[in-house]
CSV table of all heavy atoms in Angstrom, one decimal:
chain,number,residue,atom,x,y,z
A,23,THR,N,13.9,14.7,43.5
A,23,THR,CA,12.9,14.0,42.7
A,23,THR,C,13.1,12.5,42.9
A,23,THR,O,12.1,11.7,42.8
A,23,THR,CB,12.9,14.3,41.2
A,23,THR,OG1,14.2,14.0,40.6
A,23,THR,CG2,12.6,15.8,40.9
A,24,ILE,N,14.3,12.0,43.1
A,24,ILE,CA,14.5,10.6,43.4
A,24,ILE,C,13.9,10.3,44.8
A,24,ILE,O,13.2,9.3,45.0
A,24,ILE,CB,16.0,10.2,43.4
A,24,ILE,CG1,16.6,10.3,42.0
A,24,ILE,CG2,16.2,8.8,44.0
A,24,ILE,CD1,18.1,10.2,41.9
A,25,ALA,N,14.1,11.2,45.8
A,25,ALA,CA,13.5,11.0,47.1
A,25,ALA,C,12.0,10.9,47.0
A,25,ALA,O,11.3,10.1,47.6
A,25,ALA,CB,14.0,12.1,48.0
A,26,ALA,N,11.4,11.8,46.2
A,26,ALA,CA,10.0,11.8,46.0
A,26,ALA,C,9.5,10.6,45.3
A,26,ALA,O,8.5,10.0,45.7
A,26,ALA,CB,9.5,13.1,45.2
A,27,ALA,N,10.2,10.1,44.3
A,27,ALA,CA,9.9,8.9,43.6
A,27,ALA,C,9.9,7.7,44.5
A,27,ALA,O,9.0,6.9,44.5
A,27,ALA,CB,10.8,8.7,42.4
A,28,LEU,N,10.9,7.6,45.4
A,28,LEU,CA,11.0,6.5,46.4
A,28,LEU,C,9.9,6.7,47.4
A,28,LEU,O,9.3,5.6,47.8
A,28,LEU,CB,12.4,6.5,47.0
A,28,LEU,CG,13.5,6.1,46.1
A,28,LEU,CD1,14.8,6.2,46.9
A,28,LEU,CD2,13.3,4.6,45.7
A,29,ASP,N,9.5,7.9,47.7
A,29,ASP,CA,8.3,8.1,48.6
A,29,ASP,C,7.0,7.5,48.0
A,29,ASP,O,6.2,6.9,48.7
A,29,ASP,CB,8.2,9.5,49.0
A,29,ASP,CG,9.2,10.0,50.0
A,29,ASP,OD1,10.0,9.2,50.6
A,29,ASP,OD2,9.4,11.2,50.1
A,30,VAL,N,6.8,7.8,46.7
A,30,VAL,CA,5.7,7.3,46.0
A,30,VAL,C,5.7,5.7,46.0
A,30,VAL,O,4.7,5.1,46.3
A,30,VAL,CB,5.6,7.8,44.6
A,30,VAL,CG1,4.5,7.0,43.7
A,30,VAL,CG2,5.2,9.3,44.6
A,31,TYR,N,6.9,5.2,45.7
A,31,TYR,CA,7.1,3.7,45.7
A,31,TYR,C,6.8,3.1,47.0
A,31,TYR,O,6.1,2.1,47.1
A,31,TYR,CB,8.5,3.5,45.2
A,31,TYR,CG,8.9,2.0,45.1
A,31,TYR,CD1,8.4,1.2,44.0
A,31,TYR,CD2,9.7,1.4,46.0
A,31,TYR,CE1,8.8,-0.1,43.9
A,31,TYR,CE2,10.1,0.1,45.9
A,31,TYR,CZ,9.6,-0.7,44.8
A,31,TYR,OH,10.0,-2.0,44.7
A,32,ALA,N,7.2,3.8,48.1
A,32,ALA,CA,7.0,3.3,49.5
A,32,ALA,C,5.5,3.4,49.9
A,32,ALA,O,5.0,2.6,50.6
A,32,ALA,CB,7.8,4.2,50.4
A,33,ALA,N,4.8,4.5,49.4
A,33,ALA,CA,3.4,4.7,49.8
A,33,ALA,C,2.4,3.9,49.0
A,33,ALA,O,1.3,3.7,49.5
A,33,ALA,CB,3.1,6.2,49.6
A,34,THR,N,2.8,3.3,47.9
A,34,THR,CA,1.8,2.6,47.1
A,34,THR,C,1.1,1.5,47.8
A,34,THR,O,-0.1,1.4,47.8
A,34,THR,CB,2.4,2.2,45.8
A,34,THR,OG1,2.9,3.3,45.1
A,34,THR,CG2,1.4,1.4,44.9
A,35,PRO,N,1.8,0.6,48.5
A,35,PRO,CA,1.1,-0.5,49.2
A,35,PRO,C,0.0,0.1,50.2
A,35,PRO,O,-1.1,-0.4,50.2
A,35,PRO,CB,2.1,-1.3,50.0
A,35,PRO,CG,3.4,-1.0,49.2
A,35,PRO,CD,3.3,0.4,48.7
A,36,ALA,N,0.3,1.1,51.0
A,36,ALA,CA,-0.7,1.6,52.0
A,36,ALA,C,-1.8,2.3,51.2
A,36,ALA,O,-2.9,2.2,51.7
A,36,ALA,CB,0.0,2.6,52.9
A,37,THR,N,-1.5,3.0,50.1
A,37,THR,CA,-2.5,3.6,49.3
A,37,THR,C,-3.5,2.6,48.8
A,37,THR,O,-4.7,2.8,48.9
A,37,THR,CB,-1.9,4.4,48.1
A,37,THR,OG1,-1.0,5.4,48.7
A,37,THR,CG2,-2.9,5.0,47.3
A,38,LEU,N,-3.0,1.5,48.3
A,38,LEU,CA,-3.8,0.4,47.8
A,38,LEU,C,-4.6,-0.3,48.9
A,38,LEU,O,-5.8,-0.6,48.7
A,38,LEU,CB,-3.0,-0.6,47.0
A,38,LEU,CG,-2.4,0.0,45.7
A,38,LEU,CD1,-1.5,-1.1,45.0
A,38,LEU,CD2,-3.5,0.4,44.7
A,39,VAL,N,-4.0,-0.5,50.0
A,39,VAL,CA,-4.8,-1.0,51.2
A,39,VAL,C,-5.9,-0.1,51.5
A,39,VAL,O,-7.1,-0.5,51.7
A,39,VAL,CB,-3.9,-1.3,52.4
A,39,VAL,CG1,-4.7,-1.5,53.7
A,39,VAL,CG2,-2.9,-2.4,52.1
A,40,ALA,N,-5.7,1.2,51.6
A,40,ALA,CA,-6.7,2.2,51.9
A,40,ALA,C,-7.8,2.2,50.9
A,40,ALA,O,-9.0,2.3,51.3
A,40,ALA,CB,-6.1,3.6,52.0
A,41,LEU,N,-7.5,2.0,49.6
A,41,LEU,CA,-8.5,2.0,48.6
A,41,LEU,C,-9.3,0.7,48.6
A,41,LEU,O,-10.5,0.7,48.3
A,41,LEU,CB,-7.9,2.1,47.2
A,41,LEU,CG,-7.5,3.5,46.8
A,41,LEU,CD1,-6.7,3.5,45.5
A,41,LEU,CD2,-8.7,4.4,46.6
Side-chain angles (χ1 to χ4, degrees):
T23 62
I24 293 172
L28 289 173
D29 287 345
V30 167
Y31 182 74
T34 299
T37 300
L38 293 174
V39 166
L41 281 171

